[in-house]
Amino acid sequence: MKKLLFAIIGAGLLLGSCDKEDSSDVNQQKIWTSYEVFYNQNDDKTHAIARFRFGGPTGTLLELTDSTSANVTYNGTEMPYSNIWGGHHLEFAGSQTPGTFVYTNNDGDVYTNSVPSGNTIAYEAGFDTITKGSAQTFTWDGTALAADEKVAVFVGSWTWGEDALFYTEDDGATSLVMGVTQMQNLALGTSTVYMDRKTEVDLAEGTPEGGKITYTYRPTNVQVQVVQ
């Protein structure tokens, strides 16, 4: 569940492993593609990530190793491969949207996809306490969710397992419910709250395997007191 919901603890992205293959070794029409632009207000940086997998979203990770025959760019800048990010990655200062990914495969086919426009989100003023013994409504400061949008809120301390994750993708939602069952593992005392708002749509241009393109916005984390 936590991986599905944006891997919200870490950088906001599901980091890949170092196990990968050369994209030139596979059928180019069987490559599934994932693009993401992630803006993190905590450090005022934007990350653009392009991942390619053979056969679908859980398939073997691929690297575009020969830029003369296969490459991917974001807003015209070629994206090198990063083992840390498990894909081709660029980092920018500040917000870098709108943006466009252009992928050229080993057969010379070119696919162009623009990042969907995403909405910002923030914590309501005065949000500083979570009472784990009773359910509560968490309302964010921002527009209601539209189609293809999701919000996830993660609460955690430095101790593994003392955390909780809350999530909604209901059209028109402006809040979510923090239930007592989800909060039962929270440690009393100070915890950090992370929140992501994500817009995800199908690719406009891609192979028959398809793919996704997303925009994720994370506001500055907040510290809260967890009480009984």
Side-chain angles (χ1 to χ4, degrees), residues 71-85:
N71 65 81
V72 60
T73 64
Y74 180 70
N75 284 349
T77 301
E78 187 167 332
M79 305 175 67
Y81 191 87
S82 167
N83 285 321
I84 294 175
W85 288 86

Side-chain angles (χ1 to χ4, degrees), residues 27-28 53 57-58 76 78 90 96 103 120 149 166 193 203 207-208:
N27 183 335
Q28 301 297 288
R53 293 185 179 273
T58 61
E78 187 167 332
L90 286 173
Q96 288 290 322
Y103 162 48
T120 61
E149 285 193 306
F166 312 94
V193 183
L203 297 184
T207 71

Side-chain angles (χ1 to χ4, degrees), residues 18 30 49 52 77 84 93 106 118 125 132 145 149 189 195 208 215:
C18 294
K30 297 290 290 181
I49 310 97
F52 305 92
T77 301
I84 294 175
N106 290 92
K132 64 179 291 185
L145 292 188
E149 285 193 306
M195 178 167 59
Y215 174 75

Side-chain angles (χ1 to χ4, degrees), residues 59-213:
T60 302
L61 194 64
L62 303 172
E63 178 182 358
L64 312 181
T65 57
D66 185 357
S67 63
T68 60
S69 59
N71 65 81
V72 60
T73 64
Y74 180 70
N75 284 349
T77 301
E78 187 167 332
M79 305 175 67
Y81 191 87
S82 167
N83 285 321
I84 294 175
W85 288 86
H88 294 262
H89 169 257
L90 286 173
E91 180 181 87
F92 302 93
S95 178
Q96 288 290 322
T97 54
T100 300
F101 292 90
V102 179
Y103 162 48
T104 304
N105 69 15
N106 290 92
D107 290 340
D109 302 316
V110 179
Y111 304 100
T112 301
N113 289 275
S114 296
V115 180
S117 58
N119 294 304
T120 61
I121 195 169
Y123 297 92
E124 282 196 321
F127 173 64
D128 57 11
T129 304
I130 293 175
T131 304
K132 64 179 291 185
S134 59
Q136 61 191 87
T137 299
F138 172 89
T139 302
W140 59 79
D141 185 2
T143 58
L145 292 188
D148 304 314
E149 285 193 306
K150 311 170 186 180
V151 166
V153 177
F154 176 82
V155 184
S157 67
W158 285 105
T159 303
W160 177 255
E162 296 180 348
D163 50 37
L165 183 64
F166 312 94
Y167 167 78
T168 184
E169 58 180 344
D170 295 339
D171 289 357
T174 57
S175 64
L176 52 80
V177 175
M178 295 179 166
V180 292
T181 301
Q182 295 159 287
M183 292 191 289
Q184 63 183 347
N185 292 330
L186 288 179
L188 300 178
T190 303
S191 282
T192 302
V193 183
Y194 306 77
M195 178 167 59
D196 283 356
R197 183 170 188 157
K198 181 174 184 175
T199 304
E200 181 178 73
V201 298
D202 292 331
L203 297 184
E205 295 185 5
T207 71
E209 286 296 327
K212 298 288 186 179
I213 185 166

